Amino acid sequence: MDKVVVGSLKVKDCVIFQCKICHTVLGDSLQCCGTSSTLNLLKCLRVTENVEVNPTTLIGCEGPLSECLYKSLYCSFCKANVGVVPFSTTELLSHLRGLYCLDKGALHCYMLQSNSVVEAAALNLELQSLTQHLGELKRQIVVAHCRLMAAVTKLDELVGEESGLGTSILDLEHGRKPEKYYPDCKV
């Protein structure tokens, strides 16, 4: 199942965040941009319309959100508190500003690959670094290039056998003279 891909989306990486009380869909892993292990939160860029933002701005007086301004998030169906949106924070929590921070304790996660429901706290949703993504992209480009060059070589062999010219299929297609046979030719 690890190889199942829809477009460029890997099914094994897809998770749907649900309210623990009523199982309403609140968000998904496509919008998740990390976790805060110290606060037990999932950081999301967006959530579904099933999440209501309380219009009242609150000030944290104690706990990890002390000295922070935030708005509470509620499930629109059961009205359970499911997280916060911090607006003004201490420097230590500045990475949370403006994000939908869903409380892992208020969530169940539906795993698409296994069709199972797990506790949000049990998941590791840390994202790969940009360097890891670029390394994987480079690897995929190199593999695609090697396959393309093998296909071009095979086509060259087939065209050369049929025509007896020994020219590249790409050169014939574009009406160009191949450099390997005409070194002075600038393509």
Side-chain angles (χ1 to χ4, degrees):
M1 191 72 167
D2 285 347
K3 303 287 183 190
V4 176
V5 175
V6 179
S8 62
L9 180 64
K10 295 179 182 176
V11 173
K12 72 179 183 95
D13 297 332
C14 295
V15 178
I16 296 172
F17 307 133
Q18 299 175 314
C19 174
K20 196 176 216 177
I21 295 171
C22 66
H23 302 288
T24 299
V25 175
L26 305 175
D28 60 47
S29 57
L30 297 178
Q31 297 302 322
C32 184
C33 58
T35 62
S36 174
S37 55
T38 56
L39 298 176
N40 202 32
L41 298 173
L42 294 174
K43 300 182 290 186
C44 296
L45 298 172
R46 292 191 315 194
V47 291
T48 68
E49 64 278 353
N50 299 328
V51 177
E52 292 180 8
V53 179
N54 187 336
T56 306
T57 302
L58 303 170
I59 300 172
C61 296
E62 56 186 40
L65 291 177
S66 65
E67 302 178 27
C68 298
L69 294 175
Y70 62 91
K71 292 187 178 189
S72 294
L73 299 175
Y74 293 95
C75 172
S76 63
F77 288 94
C78 70
K79 304 301 182 201
N81 186 335
V82 294
V84 296
V85 178
F87 291 104
S88 177
T89 64
T90 60
E91 189 176 334
L92 185 63
L93 300 178
S94 63
H95 64 284
L96 300 176
R97 290 183 197 146
L99 295 174
Y100 295 94
C101 299
L102 298 176
D103 180 7
K104 285 183 173 182
L107 304 176
H108 277 159
C109 295
Y110 180 77
M111 311 291 292
L112 290 180
Q113 181 182 20
S114 62
N115 297 324
S116 61
V117 176
V118 297
E119 296 293 322
L123 291 179
N124 178 12
L125 294 173
E126 282 301 318
L127 302 176
Q128 285 183 322
S129 71
L130 186 56
T131 306
Q132 290 170 317
H133 281 291
L134 289 176
E136 176 61 17
L137 181 60
K138 181 180 177 182
R139 186 193 68 75
Q140 290 174 358
I141 289 171
V142 168
V143 168
H145 176 75
C146 291
R147 289 180 180 160
L148 180 62
M149 294 311 296
V152 167
T153 302
K154 185 65 176 171
L155 283 172
D156 281 347
E157 290 172 6
L158 293 173
V159 169
E161 287 174 7
E162 287 181 16
S163 67
L165 297 175
T167 58
S168 168
I169 187 72
L170 296 176
D171 294 328
L172 290 175
E173 222 174 67
H174 298 297
R176 298 184 303 200
K177 297 177 182 177
E179 278 188 285
K180 63 183 176 182
Y181 299 108
Y182 300 95
D184 298 327
C185 179
K186 301 292 183 208
V187 179

